[in-house]
Amino acid sequence: MDRQNVVLIKEGPIATIKMNRPDALNALNLQTLAELSDVIDELEKDGFVKCAILTGEGKAFIAGADIKQMSGMDPMDAKKFARMGHAVLDSMESSKVVYIAAVNGFALGGGCEIMMACDIAIASNKAKIGQPEINLGIHPGFGGTQRLPRLIGRMRAKELLLTGDNITADEAYRLGLVNRVTEPDALLPAAREIAGKIASKSAVQISFIKTMVNKGADIDLMSAKELEISYFIASFSTEDRSEGMKAFIEKRRPDFKDR
Ligand code: CAA
């Protein structure tokens, strides 16, 4: 696919995905969403990349779905668009790759929803975050009504969804919506530092932990604990657990397999 609105840079086990439609504040039209989907597929097949940092060019991370394109959609188009958005975000969540949102500016509507589908979010103190869809006579269509309450609680989520207010990065941090807030210049270095740390770990465990946390959150506690036990058992037949424990005993750094 010829990508114009999404740039992918791979540096060893760490990739950077840059949303690159700054004139429209990186708004998600069908083309941009398809390009993002293509990038996610490429990373999934890559087999070497462990972490992907997602950020935006210009003053926005992603200012949401493309309102100009949506204004011409009928209900059937809306169905396709919502299904496509959900599929892209679900593929990030179920991916073996750890997605780190480096929120450089506006993360609104679909942008906030993409941030919430990431595993970790870091925000610049210039970022503005929110679900303003209600101001357009719609509601979030890429999972916002479901991921937001799961992350910050139902009452706080309903306040954001019902008022459509945008919040600052500090407020998002207070609500537990982002992991940390940095000065704008420190955003990408901070994201790279976390990515580097994670990329030095076992790829098998990265994917096990993502699966347990994400799947476990949507099932009952007993079943979720069983899930953990089954992955714990599976861990004991991996080369990485032999290497990790051997390295501890030999007082050296573990050398985990790439994949
Ligand atoms: N869709 C299409 N174009 C957008 C856009 C969007 N979501 N957000 C910004 N743009 C465009 C503007 O129309 C403008 O284009 P022109 O120069 O051609 O007029 C350009 O980007 C720059 O934007 P502004 O001039 O508005 O910039 P600003 O700094 O004055 O304001 C802003 C920034 C507060 C983010 C404002 O642009 C804004 O409110 N954007 C819309 C945010 C929004 O409502 N997002 C939710 C979309 S719905 C959704 O996402 C549904 C879903 O769940 C899937």
Side-chain angles (χ1 to χ4, degrees):
M1 171 182 246
D2 180 24
R3 296 186 204 124
Q4 283 148 21
N5 301 335
V6 183
V7 176
L8 173 64
I9 301 157
K10 293 190 212 171
E11 291 158 296
I14 301 173
T16 302
I17 304 168
K18 187 168 262 194
M19 305 306 290
N20 190 34
R21 206 186 163 218
D23 291 349
L25 303 190
N26 302 323
L28 299 166
N29 57 9
L30 286 161
Q31 173 66 24
T32 308
L33 205 50
E35 289 183 27
L36 181 59
S37 173
D38 191 53
V39 162
I40 292 163
D41 284 352
E42 180 177 332
L43 292 178
E44 203 57 23
K45 288 180 194 136
D46 180 278
F48 190 63
V49 171
K50 288 181 176 172
C51 280
I53 297 166
L54 178 62
T55 194
E57 177 65 34
K59 67 178 179 181
F61 174 68
I62 299 167
D66 189 314
I67 301 167
K68 291 168 190 163
Q69 192 174 61
M70 275 195 306
S71 71
M73 287 183 185
D74 65 19
M76 284 313 287
D77 298 328
K79 180 180 175 182
K80 275 189 218 149
F81 191 46
R83 290 231 179 274
M84 186 175 173
H86 273 269
V88 173
L89 274 59
D90 289 352
S91 70
M92 294 169 77
E93 228 169 40
S94 63
S95 167
K96 296 190 287 275
V97 174
V98 173
Y99 282 90
I100 301 176
V103 183
N104 51 302
F106 295 108
L108 303 176
C112 180
E113 291 170 300
I114 287 188
M115 181 193 85
M116 292 190 288
C118 288
D119 301 291
I120 291 171
I122 305 176
S124 140
N125 58 19
K126 292 268 188 301
K128 287 272 165 34
I129 297 166
Q131 298 280 179
E133 288 91 339
I134 195 163
N135 299 325
L136 301 166
I138 57 168
H139 59 254
F142 295 172
T145 62
Q146 303 310 311
R147 286 194 178 93
L148 190 60
R150 281 166 172 76
L151 278 171
I152 66 171
R154 276 192 283 169
M155 278 193 165
R156 287 189 279 226
K158 279 188 271 189
E159 184 178 344
L160 288 182
L161 292 162
L162 293 169
T163 62
D165 283 348
N166 299 333
I167 57 172
T168 62
D170 285 333
E171 178 67 358
Y173 175 73
R174 205 181 61 75
L175 293 172
L177 198 49
V178 301
N179 296 66
R180 64 177 82 157
V181 180
T182 69
E183 291 293 327
D185 288 351
L187 179 69
L188 286 177
R192 286 198 189 103
E193 191 193 329
I194 297 181
K197 212 177 262 186
I198 295 171
S200 71
K201 314 292 184 200
S202 154
V204 179
Q205 289 306 323
I206 290 173
S207 88
F208 280 7
I209 289 168
K210 270 194 69 160
T211 307
M212 283 182 287
V213 174
N214 288 339
K215 272 204 180 145
D218 289 331
I219 57 178
D220 66 280
L221 184 59
M222 285 299 283
S223 311
K225 288 193 295 183
E226 285 303 322
L227 188 70
E228 187 189 78
I229 292 170
S230 66
Y231 277 108
F232 196 69
I233 297 166
S235 298
F236 277 71
S237 47
T238 65
E239 284 179 35
D240 282 350
R241 93 84 203 200
S242 307
E243 168 60 12
M245 294 187 182
K246 197 159 170 267
F248 174 82
I249 292 162
E250 292 171 0
K251 298 188 188 301
R252 60 173 175 82
R253 289 168 80 90
D255 182 16
F256 293 121
K257 271 161 52 90
D258 295 333
R259 274 279 175 221

